[in-house]
Amino acid sequence: MIPAPFTYTRAASVDEALELAVQGGEDAKFLAGGHSLLPLMKLRLAVPETLIDIGRIGELSYIAEQDGHIVIGALTSHDAVARSGLLGSELPLLAHAAGQVGDPQVRHRGTIGGSLAHADPAADLPAVILALGATLVTRGASGSREIPAGDFFLDLFETALRPGELLTEIRIPKPHVTGWSYQKFTKRGIDWAIVGVAVQGGSVTLVNMGSTPLRAGAVERAVAAGSELRDAAAHAAEGTSPPDDLNGGRAYREHLARVLVARGLEEARSRS
Amino acid sequence: MSILGTRVVRTEDPRLLTAGGTYVDDLRVPELTQAARVTFVRSPIAHALITGIDAAAAREAPGVLAVLTANDLDDLPPPPPDDGGGGGDGGDGGEAAPLPLGGPWTEPLLAVDRVRFVGEPVAMVITTEHYQGEDAAELVSVDYEPLPPVIGADAALAGESLLFPAAGTNVAVTFGAPADATTFDGCEVVVERTIENQRLAPVPMEGRAAAAVWAAGKLTVWVSTQNAQISRFVLAGALGLDPDSIRVVAPDVGGGFGAKIGLDRDALLVAWAAKHTGRALRWAETRSENLLGMTHGRAQRQVIKIGGTLDGRILAYRLEIVQDTGAYPRMGGFLPFLTSLMATGPYDIGTAETAYRVIVTNTTPISAYRGAGRPEATAAVERAVDLFAVEIGMDPADVRRINLVPPDKFPFNSPCGAVYDTGAYSAALDKVLAGAGYQELRAEQARRRERGDVRQLGIGVASYVEITAADAAGGETARLVVHDDGTATVYTGSSAHGQGHHTAWAMLVQAELGIDMDKVTVVHGDTDLIPLGVGTYASRSLQLGGVAVQKAAVDVREQARRVAADMLEASESDLELDVDRGLWHVRGDPEASRTWAQVAGHAGEDGLAASVNYTEGQPTFPFGTHLAVAEVDTETGKATMLRHVTVDDAGTVLSPLLAEGQRHGGIAQGVAQALLEEMRYDAAGNPVTGTLVDYAIITAAELPSFELLASETPATINPLGAKGIGEAGTIGATPATQNAVIDAVSHLGVRHIDMPVTPERVWTAISDAREGR
Amino acid sequence: MKVTLTANGSEVAAEVEDRTLLVHFLRDAAGLTATNVGCDTSSCGACTVLLDGRSVKSCTVLAAQADGGEITTVEGLAAPDGEMHPVQTAFRAEHALQCGFCTPGMVMAVVSLLAENPDPTEDDVRTALEGNLCRCTGYHNIVRAVLAAASGRRPS
């Protein structure tokens, strides 16, 4: 299957990418690694008229430490995130979860920024950066913005990014509580999560339990109040609206959320 | 020492590993240099009337050479006369009705006024370039008037909506007697259950593909098929051509698994369109097309009923099948016949009954998929035996041992009409139990149950017997030529698509003639070179095609003996062939010898050549036992396979390497059916597993390494002692895996979970059992 | 647009549609037909090649994205004298291929895997190959071949 015809352009810098976006208008899309967008285009579920290839903007591929934060360029590949020594010691949750994305080939091409901007509720990284309390840094024609992860994901495949605005950096505060866990439940290793759970200290978030990554607020409050972990986990499905599809019905996903949150809390505690 | 039975690496591999195979879409032959591309327009609706097709916009699109619809099919011979086949409850179709059925059930090439499944070909777009085809196909506008879809057995049997109004029913074939009320008399325990053997997609890694050229009164068709020769006759009939004016070539074929037997209407259309338009054409389907357009397999709803005594003796068994054959009764209509024939499996059961109905639904047609009717039989009886065992509280392995056909009963006449040739069924069972450490596994299971572990252990056993080369009488061809440079060429009617025929046939030549296998070229799948042959399916190759090669070699050897005797001025009876060195000499005088090159050079105009068409009167019956060990997470329902131990006895093994490869691949597909795969439709007949994201092919990460145990009980009807090995894996592994998962949670009250035993189904079964549902 | 890249050490340049996928550039413009297309959804890995030394699924990369890059396909793996790469040798010795359709992509995925993890466990291998589907071998002998190639031992 072949994408519908489009015009390919390539940006060498963020400034050039933003300029091309202005020229391309509403029917232009940024292309990073392409592992979210190109599959949709091949199935002709996405039909952009212009692609702006930002994949070679070297200035957006980095992992560094800055003022008590870890900063990651949006075009850093999943593979680089997964293998980063800095992340392995400072943000093992993120490094581990990035290593769970897709398969090795996908991780070589796919980027953290591409995954976040695509905002698939079944994807691993949106819930992880939500658990980590990240801030997303963007640049657009009207300047730069910093968007807390909790405000970034608006709906299914919908983010706070404005047309022509580019996600450039993910800023993550170094966690105070070190215990972490990522519980990804799939039928096959290669699959998207049927349900996933990210835990960092007392922060608990859910993959694929609604149209965006969700914070398991009731669980967090119960943990903070000193509940037994299994008791706290019983609240995992509160306020969720999971999909009902061939991989699982709502009741099953709600059950999985409770099981996986319990396991995640226990694993995180064992690591703290 | 003979090369047979030794671990010989494949002759095919260096090319496949360094240059890649040449599959249809890789062909860069001169005839196809200017080939245009075929893209099919397929129905997006399960059941509808076609009220109009507007191709005007598509015809104006860039690169479009033609858009063809059913109206263009005006240069074909009339369909075969109505044979009155099928229909009604009288079973007109009969047990072995030639399928596909004609008459009211006739399948068109392109949909005429009605579509019956999502994916049915409606029009063909021909473009100069590949990419233009998908663009133009989107512009073909088809007006559909939806009809009520028929999805699933209940809807088909209700008959409120009919796929073929002229047939008056959705039941294409009915076979078997109504249940006899006395069958289960005398049984102390009777268990009955309705189970599903779900619909699968075969998914060979290469989808369907064809290319065709019509030139100088001859049609050349390259097609990804298991049977070039059969395809030639199908094409001749469909296109109204003399078979002599058709050449079919099967180049490298990227897997078949039964779904590439012969050729589909799509490939027929490519051949027709090449003749119709005068253009060289090429078509290779996408995976999304493949999942809907290539035939599916299995799709049986089964009612199993088993009865016996409290001490473990099975006395009676009944199997009723509703076979969903999809939108058109192709080979799917024949599968339940094979299932019924093998219904009682390897067990000596006094009374057995089978009955089936074949229904049409608005889904992709059903045909053979690795095992083709036999995995369905084994899945049914192996579930039945486990249900019976748990009901009487006996170890399922013990129940099997009590009931397996004992070694002194062969040949064994099964109550379903099969004659099992040779076997050592309980020896296979015991070998697997010993190899797996069965008692220790049961002890570990007991410990986990005792502790109430979250992760419980399940042990699944499945014993089987299957039928291979069911159409042995159809035979297979071989021609062997020894050239005057000392090399040899084998022309085989068998068709290679991964099995390693080229290696195996060369081994046979080396074993008989002493010509080094590196000097043996094997040719298959070109009807100009091999006009007659049957091809590869039903695990028939070695026991028919291989024997044909061996017999050709023996014939050539005796010809050579005469020539060499003449050369060495000795009597034929004094001539000896030194197979290790490939030299002819007079007995007692090994120094004065002649090479194969010399003998062939001396053989005169006809050279050294032999043709054989080997037929066999009886099929063979391989057997074995599989044991699977599963770990089930009782909180999530997810099963992880820890071990898989098997004996697959297919008679004498020619190539252990190839035989093991067949077993490995089949096991993986069997585990996949048990755990993961299912082709699903929604109520409207839309496929919901139409890509490889949703149709879950098993990966390396879901499988353990396999533990294969050897066992060889020779067949007696062919000189190689061979039975078929190609389908053992799916037949044995599927129920072993399913039984293992159910066994892991049986102490919680779970008795059955339909395949695929997904995490959600396992969790639901546990929840239901806990709540007494 | 014009795309120029290096395929197996040779420069290939062609004027192609902007939407051309790398796999079709390789098959049609570069004439390298070993790399196959097995699905539409980046699921099967049959199209795996090395792009600048790392495995990618060439059905999910635009030729334009690979412009200026270095591609290695299975045709470019053997030594100039024809001697097979250790992974190819191990695949033959362990009977790790049957129909051969997944093989070029599988081999390239393995080459990339061993470059990143020269001493994998069986679990590492199975996990690393989850993006490459094979319908013939059940993966058993593929895993054995990878372990054999990694250890450098003469395969059994």
Side-chain angles (χ1 to χ4, degrees), chain B residues 467-505:
Chain B
I467 179 172
T468 60
D471 67 335
E476 192 53 275
T477 65
R479 189 160 75 92
L480 173 63
V481 182
V482 177
H483 310 287
D484 60 11
D485 61 356
T487 65
T489 305
V490 175
Y491 300 88
T492 177
S494 293
S495 197
H497 40 286
Q499 297 88 344
H501 288 75
H502 291 238
T503 302
W505 285 193

CSV table of all heavy atoms in Angstrom, one decimal, chain B residues 467-505:
chain,number,residue,atom,x,y,z
B,467,ILE,N,-4.0,-38.3,8.2
B,467,ILE,CA,-3.9,-39.0,6.9
B,467,ILE,C,-3.1,-38.1,6.0
B,467,ILE,O,-3.3,-36.9,5.9
B,467,ILE,CB,-5.4,-39.2,6.4
B,467,ILE,CG1,-5.3,-39.9,5.0
B,467,ILE,CG2,-6.2,-37.9,6.3
B,467,ILE,CD1,-6.6,-40.3,4.5
B,468,THR,N,-2.1,-38.7,5.4
B,468,THR,CA,-1.3,-37.9,4.4
B,468,THR,C,-1.4,-38.6,3.0
B,468,THR,O,-1.5,-39.8,2.9
B,468,THR,CB,0.2,-37.7,4.8
B,468,THR,OG1,0.8,-39.0,5.0
B,468,THR,CG2,0.2,-37.0,6.2
B,469,ALA,N,-1.2,-37.8,2.0
B,469,ALA,CA,-1.4,-38.2,0.6
B,469,ALA,C,-2.7,-38.9,0.5
B,469,ALA,O,-2.9,-40.0,-0.1
B,469,ALA,CB,-0.2,-39.2,0.2
B,470,ALA,N,-3.7,-38.1,1.0
B,470,ALA,CA,-5.1,-38.7,0.9
B,470,ALA,C,-5.5,-39.0,-0.5
B,470,ALA,O,-6.3,-39.9,-0.8
B,470,ALA,CB,-6.1,-37.7,1.5
B,471,ASP,N,-4.9,-38.3,-1.5
B,471,ASP,CA,-5.2,-38.6,-2.9
B,471,ASP,C,-4.0,-39.3,-3.5
B,471,ASP,O,-3.6,-39.0,-4.6
B,471,ASP,CB,-5.5,-37.3,-3.7
B,471,ASP,CG,-4.3,-36.4,-3.8
B,471,ASP,OD1,-3.4,-36.6,-2.9
B,471,ASP,OD2,-4.2,-35.6,-4.7
B,472,ALA,N,-3.6,-40.4,-2.8
B,472,ALA,CA,-2.4,-41.1,-3.3
B,472,ALA,C,-2.5,-41.6,-4.7
B,472,ALA,O,-1.6,-41.7,-5.5
B,472,ALA,CB,-2.1,-42.2,-2.4
B,473,ALA,N,-3.8,-41.9,-5.1
B,473,ALA,CA,-4.0,-42.5,-6.4
B,473,ALA,C,-3.7,-41.4,-7.5
B,473,ALA,O,-3.5,-41.8,-8.7
B,473,ALA,CB,-5.5,-42.9,-6.5
B,474,GLY,N,-3.7,-40.2,-7.1
B,474,GLY,CA,-3.4,-39.1,-8.1
B,474,GLY,C,-1.9,-39.2,-8.5
B,474,GLY,O,-1.5,-38.7,-9.6
B,475,GLY,N,-1.1,-39.7,-7.6
B,475,GLY,CA,0.3,-40.0,-8.0
B,475,GLY,C,1.1,-38.7,-8.2
B,475,GLY,O,0.7,-37.6,-7.8
B,476,GLU,N,2.4,-38.9,-8.6
B,476,GLU,CA,3.3,-37.8,-8.9
B,476,GLU,C,4.3,-38.2,-10.0
B,476,GLU,O,4.6,-39.4,-10.1
B,476,GLU,CB,3.9,-37.3,-7.7
B,476,GLU,CG,4.7,-36.0,-7.8
B,476,GLU,CD,3.8,-34.9,-8.4
B,476,GLU,OE1,3.6,-34.8,-9.6
B,476,GLU,OE2,3.2,-34.1,-7.6
B,477,THR,N,4.8,-37.2,-10.7
B,477,THR,CA,5.7,-37.5,-11.8
B,477,THR,C,7.1,-37.1,-11.5
B,477,THR,O,7.4,-36.3,-10.6
B,477,THR,CB,5.3,-36.7,-13.1
B,477,THR,OG1,5.5,-35.3,-12.8
B,477,THR,CG2,3.9,-37.0,-13.5
B,478,ALA,N,8.0,-37.8,-12.1
B,478,ALA,CA,9.4,-37.5,-12.0
B,478,ALA,C,10.1,-37.9,-13.3
B,478,ALA,O,9.8,-38.9,-13.9
B,478,ALA,CB,10.1,-38.1,-10.9
B,479,ARG,N,11.0,-37.1,-13.8
B,479,ARG,CA,11.9,-37.5,-14.9
B,479,ARG,C,13.3,-37.2,-14.5
B,479,ARG,O,13.6,-36.1,-13.9
B,479,ARG,CB,11.5,-36.6,-16.2
B,479,ARG,CG,12.2,-37.1,-17.5
B,479,ARG,CD,11.5,-36.7,-18.7
B,479,ARG,NE,11.7,-35.3,-19.0
B,479,ARG,CZ,12.7,-34.8,-19.8
B,479,ARG,NH1,13.5,-35.7,-20.3
B,479,ARG,NH2,12.9,-33.5,-20.0
B,480,LEU,N,14.2,-38.1,-14.8
B,480,LEU,CA,15.6,-38.0,-14.4
B,480,LEU,C,16.4,-38.2,-15.7
B,480,LEU,O,16.2,-39.1,-16.4
B,480,LEU,CB,16.0,-39.0,-13.4
B,480,LEU,CG,17.4,-39.1,-13.0
B,480,LEU,CD1,17.9,-37.8,-12.4
B,480,LEU,CD2,17.7,-40.3,-12.1
B,481,VAL,N,17.3,-37.2,-15.9
B,481,VAL,CA,18.3,-37.3,-17.0
B,481,VAL,C,19.7,-37.2,-16.5
B,481,VAL,O,20.0,-36.3,-15.7
B,481,VAL,CB,18.0,-36.1,-18.0
B,481,VAL,CG1,19.0,-36.3,-19.2
B,481,VAL,CG2,16.6,-36.1,-18.5
B,482,VAL,N,20.5,-38.2,-16.9
B,482,VAL,CA,22.0,-38.1,-16.5
B,482,VAL,C,22.7,-37.6,-17.8
B,482,VAL,O,22.5,-38.2,-18.9
B,482,VAL,CB,22.5,-39.4,-16.0
B,482,VAL,CG1,24.0,-39.3,-15.8
B,482,VAL,CG2,21.8,-39.9,-14.8
B,483,HIS,N,23.4,-36.5,-17.7
B,483,HIS,CA,24.1,-35.9,-18.8
B,483,HIS,C,25.5,-36.4,-19.0
B,483,HIS,O,26.1,-37.0,-18.1
B,483,HIS,CB,24.1,-34.4,-18.6
B,483,HIS,CG,22.7,-33.8,-18.3
B,483,HIS,ND1,21.7,-33.7,-19.2
B,483,HIS,CD2,22.2,-33.3,-17.1
B,483,HIS,CE1,20.6,-33.2,-18.6
B,483,HIS,NE2,20.9,-33.0,-17.3
B,484,ASP,N,26.0,-36.1,-20.2
B,484,ASP,CA,27.3,-36.7,-20.5
B,484,ASP,C,28.5,-35.9,-19.9
B,484,ASP,O,29.7,-36.2,-20.1
B,484,ASP,CB,27.6,-36.9,-22.0
B,484,ASP,CG,27.5,-35.5,-22.8
B,484,ASP,OD1,27.5,-34.5,-22.1
B,484,ASP,OD2,27.4,-35.6,-24.0
B,485,ASP,N,28.1,-34.9,-19.0
B,485,ASP,CA,29.2,-34.3,-18.2
B,485,ASP,C,29.1,-34.8,-16.8
B,485,ASP,O,29.8,-34.3,-15.9
B,485,ASP,CB,29.1,-32.8,-18.2
B,485,ASP,CG,27.7,-32.3,-17.6
B,485,ASP,OD1,26.9,-33.2,-17.3
B,485,ASP,OD2,27.5,-31.1,-17.5
B,486,GLY,N,28.3,-35.8,-16.6
B,486,GLY,CA,28.2,-36.5,-15.3
B,486,GLY,C,27.3,-35.8,-14.3
B,486,GLY,O,27.2,-36.2,-13.2
B,487,THR,N,26.6,-34.8,-14.8
B,487,THR,CA,25.6,-34.1,-13.9
B,487,THR,C,24.2,-34.8,-14.2
B,487,THR,O,24.1,-35.5,-15.2
B,487,THR,CB,25.5,-32.6,-14.2
B,487,THR,OG1,25.1,-32.4,-15.5
B,487,THR,CG2,26.9,-32.0,-14.0
B,488,ALA,N,23.3,-34.4,-13.4
B,488,ALA,CA,21.9,-35.0,-13.6
B,488,ALA,C,20.9,-33.9,-13.4
B,488,ALA,O,21.1,-32.9,-12.6
B,488,ALA,CB,21.7,-36.2,-12.6
B,489,THR,N,19.8,-34.1,-14.0
B,489,THR,CA,18.7,-33.1,-13.8
B,489,THR,C,17.4,-33.9,-13.5
B,489,THR,O,17.1,-34.9,-14.1
B,489,THR,CB,18.4,-32.3,-15.1
B,489,THR,OG1,19.6,-31.6,-15.5
B,489,THR,CG2,17.3,-31.3,-14.8
B,490,VAL,N,16.7,-33.5,-12.4
B,490,VAL,CA,15.5,-34.1,-12.0
B,490,VAL,C,14.4,-33.1,-12.4
B,490,VAL,O,14.5,-31.9,-12.0
B,490,VAL,CB,15.4,-34.3,-10.5
B,490,VAL,CG1,14.1,-34.8,-10.1
B,490,VAL,CG2,16.5,-35.3,-10.1
B,491,TYR,N,13.4,-33.6,-13.1
B,491,TYR,CA,12.2,-32.8,-13.3
B,491,TYR,C,11.0,-33.4,-12.5
B,491,TYR,O,10.7,-34.5,-12.7
B,491,TYR,CB,11.8,-32.8,-14.8
B,491,TYR,CG,12.9,-32.3,-15.7
B,491,TYR,CD1,13.9,-33.1,-16.2
B,491,TYR,CD2,12.9,-30.9,-16.1
B,491,TYR,CE1,14.9,-32.6,-17.0
B,491,TYR,CE2,13.9,-30.4,-16.9
B,491,TYR,CZ,14.9,-31.3,-17.4
B,491,TYR,OH,15.9,-30.8,-18.2
B,492,THR,N,10.6,-32.6,-11.5
B,492,THR,CA,9.6,-33.1,-10.6
B,492,THR,C,8.2,-32.5,-10.7
B,492,THR,O,8.2,-31.2,-10.9
B,492,THR,CB,10.1,-33.0,-9.1
B,492,THR,OG1,9.1,-33.5,-8.3
B,492,THR,CG2,10.4,-31.6,-8.8
B,493,GLY,N,7.2,-33.2,-10.6
B,493,GLY,CA,5.8,-32.7,-10.6
B,493,GLY,C,5.5,-32.1,-9.2
B,493,GLY,O,4.5,-31.3,-9.1
B,494,SER,N,6.2,-32.4,-8.2
B,494,SER,CA,6.1,-31.8,-6.9
B,494,SER,C,6.5,-30.4,-7.0
B,494,SER,O,7.2,-30.0,-7.9
B,494,SER,CB,6.9,-32.5,-5.8
B,494,SER,OG,6.5,-33.8,-5.6
B,495,SER,N,6.0,-29.6,-6.0
B,495,SER,CA,6.2,-28.1,-6.1
B,495,SER,C,6.8,-27.6,-4.8
B,495,SER,O,6.2,-27.8,-3.8
B,495,SER,CB,4.9,-27.4,-6.4
B,495,SER,OG,5.1,-26.1,-6.9
B,496,ALA,N,8.0,-27.0,-5.0
B,496,ALA,CA,8.7,-26.5,-3.8
B,496,ALA,C,8.2,-25.2,-3.4
B,496,ALA,O,8.1,-24.3,-4.2
B,496,ALA,CB,10.2,-26.5,-4.0
B,497,HIS,N,7.9,-25.0,-2.1
B,497,HIS,CA,7.7,-23.6,-1.6
B,497,HIS,C,8.2,-23.5,-0.2
B,497,HIS,O,7.5,-23.0,0.7
B,497,HIS,CB,6.3,-23.1,-1.8
B,497,HIS,CG,5.2,-24.1,-1.5
B,497,HIS,ND1,4.9,-25.2,-2.3
B,497,HIS,CD2,4.4,-24.2,-0.4
B,497,HIS,CE1,4.0,-25.9,-1.7
B,497,HIS,NE2,3.6,-25.4,-0.6
B,498,GLY,N,9.4,-24.0,0.0
B,498,GLY,CA,10.1,-23.9,1.3
B,498,GLY,C,10.5,-25.2,1.9
B,498,GLY,O,11.3,-25.2,2.8
B,499,GLN,N,9.9,-26.3,1.4
B,499,GLN,CA,10.1,-27.5,2.0
B,499,GLN,C,11.5,-28.1,1.8
B,499,GLN,O,11.9,-29.0,2.6
B,499,GLN,CB,9.0,-28.6,1.5
B,499,GLN,CG,7.6,-28.2,1.9
B,499,GLN,CD,7.0,-27.3,0.8
B,499,GLN,OE1,7.7,-26.7,-0.1
B,499,GLN,NE2,5.7,-27.2,0.8
B,500,GLY,N,12.2,-27.7,0.8
B,500,GLY,CA,13.5,-28.2,0.5
B,500,GLY,C,13.5,-29.4,-0.5
B,500,GLY,O,14.4,-30.2,-0.4
B,501,HIS,N,12.6,-29.4,-1.4
B,501,HIS,CA,12.5,-30.5,-2.4
B,501,HIS,C,13.8,-30.6,-3.1
B,501,HIS,O,14.2,-31.7,-3.5
B,501,HIS,CB,11.4,-30.2,-3.4
B,501,HIS,CG,10.0,-30.3,-2.9
B,501,HIS,ND1,9.4,-29.4,-2.1
B,501,HIS,CD2,9.1,-31.3,-3.2
B,501,HIS,CE1,8.2,-29.8,-1.8
B,501,HIS,NE2,8.0,-31.0,-2.5
B,502,HIS,N,14.4,-29.5,-3.5
B,502,HIS,CA,15.6,-29.5,-4.3
B,502,HIS,C,16.7,-30.3,-3.6
B,502,HIS,O,17.4,-31.1,-4.2
B,502,HIS,CB,16.1,-28.1,-4.7
B,502,HIS,CG,15.1,-27.4,-5.7
B,502,HIS,ND1,15.5,-27.0,-6.9
B,502,HIS,CD2,13.8,-27.2,-5.6
B,502,HIS,CE1,14.5,-26.4,-7.5
B,502,HIS,NE2,13.4,-26.5,-6.7
B,503,THR,N,16.8,-30.1,-2.3
B,503,THR,CA,17.8,-30.9,-1.6
B,503,THR,C,17.4,-32.3,-1.4
B,503,THR,O,18.3,-33.2,-1.7
B,503,THR,CB,18.0,-30.2,-0.2
B,503,THR,OG1,18.3,-28.8,-0.3
B,503,THR,CG2,19.0,-31.0,0.7
B,504,ALA,N,16.2,-32.6,-1.1
B,504,ALA,CA,15.8,-33.9,-0.8
B,504,ALA,C,15.8,-34.8,-2.1
B,504,ALA,O,16.3,-35.9,-2.0
B,504,ALA,CB,14.3,-33.9,-0.3
B,505,TRP,N,15.4,-34.2,-3.2
B,505,TRP,CA,15.4,-35.0,-4.4
B,505,TRP,C,16.9,-35.3,-4.9
B,505,TRP,O,17.2,-36.4,-5.4
B,505,TRP,CB,14.7,-34.3,-5.5
B,505,TRP,CG,13.2,-34.3,-5.5
B,505,TRP,CD1,12.4,-33.9,-6.5
B,505,TRP,CD2,12.3,-34.6,-4.4
B,505,TRP,NE1,11.0,-34.0,-6.2
B,505,TRP,CE2,10.9,-34.4,-4.9
B,505,TRP,CE3,12.4,-35.1,-3.1
B,505,TRP,CZ2,9.8,-34.7,-4.1
B,505,TRP,CZ3,11.3,-35.3,-2.3
B,505,TRP,CH2,10.0,-35.1,-2.8
